[in-house]
Amino acid sequence: MAALRYAGLDDTDSEDELPLGWEQRTTKDGWVYYANHTEEKTQWEHPKTGKRKRIAGDLPYGWEQETDENGQVYFVDHINKRTTYLDPRLAFTVDDNPTKPTNRQRYDGSTTAMEILQGRDFTGRVVVVTGANSGIGFETAKSFALHGAHVILACRNMSRANEAVSRILGEWHKAKVEAMTLDLALLRSVQHFAQAFKAKNVSLHVLVCNAAAFALPWSLTKDGLETTFQVNHLGHFYLVQLLQDVLCRSAPARVVVVSSESHRFTDINDSAGKLDFSRLSPSKNDYWAMLAYNRSKLCNILFSNELHRRLSPRGVTSNAVHPGNMLYSSLHRNWWVYTLLFTLARPFTKSMPTPLRLNCRIRSRKLT
């Protein structure tokens, strides 16, 4: 158990717990075998369950397999700078002869982004995350970067964006991560970002539209539009349109729009059932911060659905994500009332590393 604890794998269930004197090992090609130190023998079957097992998936990102001078395989964790002879994938073994599949849900509300991407290799994939210097955006960017993706943090504040890049590199110095300027409240900035990105001549496999404004006092952007509407929806809409050709050339690719369950509590149609454009970018007299946020999130949903309908035949899928009820983040920072509300609710909400289940279904190495 000491070796298991060292490798971070001591959380085992009772059925697979080995009897005293037994040790679990792996072959170079991923098969699990069991050594009995008392009787000095080995066997393929688990001494308690009789099952044969094999390793599932690749090594966690940051781990490498090496061979010592005696020909014995050992494993190096470059992120946490530790070495062990215990294969870290032993926590994710599967039966050699699987029985009837279980209906138990694999992921739940406490699952982290790092757990979702466990064993996935995104080397060669390019990911853009808007608003990635903090909160959900940062956790998303970090998780992709630590699994090999080339991640671009698209942020308005470059000082904070560069700090976020440094934090990711501090966890793994080989991470491919950079920051680029993107101000969604200025359509010219969106255009400049798209031009700068295209100048890199790289693919775009995942575009996460995450940046958002919440509880803002009424104001107009330099483009003459209500700020919440432009930042949360129109800026991302324009960004996707400008990068659409790159996404299609990079297929299979995916757009992920971070929306909210609050889209259910509003409408953008008038009494006759027709789209009311004045509700999207209301005047100061008709403005209510929470309602503006809800409407922008409804626009996110409608946009994502239509984008998927149009681009999925070309290999680009789009998914809208509700990250979690009363998710604690810095989104509330613009008004002290919401700050107080979120602070009181914090013990009952998800922590920032946990919401990144990203129901966008980015769970396959091939993004299928």
Side-chain angles (χ1 to χ4, degrees):
M1 290 299 293
L4 283 172
R5 190 175 300 107
Y6 178 69
L9 305 177
D10 54 324
D11 185 17
T12 59
D13 56 48
S14 57
E15 182 187 62
D16 288 334
E17 186 175 347
L18 291 170
L20 188 64
W22 285 84
E23 181 185 354
Q24 187 173 226
R25 297 177 178 175
T26 56
T27 65
K28 291 183 178 180
D29 52 358
W31 292 100
V32 178
Y33 68 98
Y34 304 91
N36 186 331
H37 296 293
T38 303
E39 301 180 13
E40 297 184 352
K41 68 176 184 179
T42 61
Q43 63 186 54
W44 294 110
E45 296 80 13
H46 190 285
K48 288 179 63 176
T49 65
K51 296 178 180 179
R52 292 193 178 196
K53 292 182 176 290
R54 56 184 174 83
I55 293 298
D58 302 322
L59 284 168
Y61 215 85
W63 285 80
E64 289 182 354
Q65 179 177 296
E66 305 285 353
T67 304
D68 64 18
E69 57 185 10
N70 297 320
Q72 188 171 356
V73 174
Y74 66 97
F75 302 89
V76 180
D77 179 0
H78 292 288
I79 295 178
N80 296 306
K81 297 180 175 54
R82 57 183 179 178
T83 300
T84 176
Y85 282 91
L86 192 68
D87 193 323
R89 295 169 296 175
L90 284 172
F92 306 98
T93 57
V94 296
D95 292 344
D96 183 18
N97 297 308
T99 56
K100 182 179 179 180
T102 177
N103 292 325
R104 188 176 72 87
Q105 183 176 339
R106 184 176 179 185
Y107 304 110
D108 57 29
S110 63
T111 305
T112 67
M114 293 297 289
E115 290 170 342
I116 291 291
L117 298 182
Q118 170 67 40
R120 307 299 183 187
D121 185 0
F122 283 88
T123 301
R125 301 289 181 177
V126 180
V127 178
V128 171
V129 184
T130 68
N133 57 272
S134 63
I136 295 175
F138 175 75
E139 292 296 331
T140 303
K142 181 182 74 172
S143 299
F144 275 120
L146 295 184
H147 286 82
H150 175 187
V151 182
I152 296 174
L153 283 65
C155 305
R156 177 178 58 85
N157 188 320
M158 286 304 293
S159 175
R160 295 178 62 188
N162 288 326
E163 289 178 5
V165 168
S166 298
R167 288 168 60 192
I168 295 173
L169 291 174
E171 293 203 29
W172 190 44
H173 69 283
K174 292 184 179 180
K176 294 190 64 176
V177 56
E178 61 178 301
M180 293 179 63
T181 302
L182 173 64
D183 185 354
L184 293 165
L186 187 62
L187 296 181
R188 183 179 295 275
S189 175
V190 178
Q191 189 177 51
H192 288 168
F193 174 87
Q195 292 171 346
F197 179 83
K198 290 181 177 180
K200 293 178 176 291
N201 292 318
V202 296
S203 300
L204 178 56
H205 301 100
V206 183
L207 172 58
V208 182
C209 300
N210 161 77
F214 177 77
L216 292 179
W218 183 88
S219 65
L220 295 179
T221 67
K222 292 183 179 180
D223 300 300
L225 296 166
E226 190 278 312
T227 303
T228 300
F229 170 67
Q230 180 165 332
V231 171
N232 292 7
H233 170 64
L234 192 62
H236 282 128
F237 176 90
Y238 188 38
L239 177 65
V240 173
Q241 301 310 304
L242 294 175
L243 297 179
Q244 178 176 308
D245 55 338
V246 184
L247 286 163
C248 291
R249 288 199 307 268
S250 308
R254 187 181 303 275
V255 176
V256 180
V257 183
V258 180
S259 185
S260 170
E261 190 75 14
S262 63
H263 80 274
R264 299 180 182 274
F265 309 117
T266 189
D267 197 356
I268 55 176
N269 292 333
D270 58 22
S271 58
K274 295 184 179 180
L275 178 62
D276 185 352
F277 287 97
S278 66
R279 297 190 180 190
L280 300 181
S281 183
S283 64
K284 186 174 184 178
N285 291 335
D286 296 327
Y287 180 79
W288 181 34
M290 192 67 213
L291 191 57
Y293 178 80
N294 294 351
R295 286 171 176 167
S296 70
K297 296 292 105 177
L298 177 57
C299 289
N300 289 162
I301 299 288
L302 297 174
F303 167 57
S304 179
N305 289 347
E306 180 62 18
L307 183 68
H308 182 81
R309 187 187 70 82
R310 295 190 184 193
L311 295 190
S312 57
R314 301 175 64 182
V316 180
T317 56
S318 179
N319 298 84
V321 183
H322 169 53
N325 292 320
M326 286 298 294
L327 176 67
Y328 190 88
S329 72
S330 59
L331 193 63
H332 56 84
R333 62 185 177 273
N334 297 296
W335 193 19
W336 70 269
V337 173
Y338 286 106
T339 299
L340 176 62
L341 176 62
F342 275 65
T343 301
L344 294 175
R346 185 172 189 175
F348 310 101
T349 64
K350 299 176 182 179
S351 63
M352 190 47 61
T354 60
L356 271 291
R357 290 183 298 167
L358 280 186
N359 300 334
C360 52
R361 307 180 190 195
I362 305 177
R363 297 177 182 171
S364 169
R365 191 172 307 148
K366 297 181 180 179
L367 293 179
T368 53

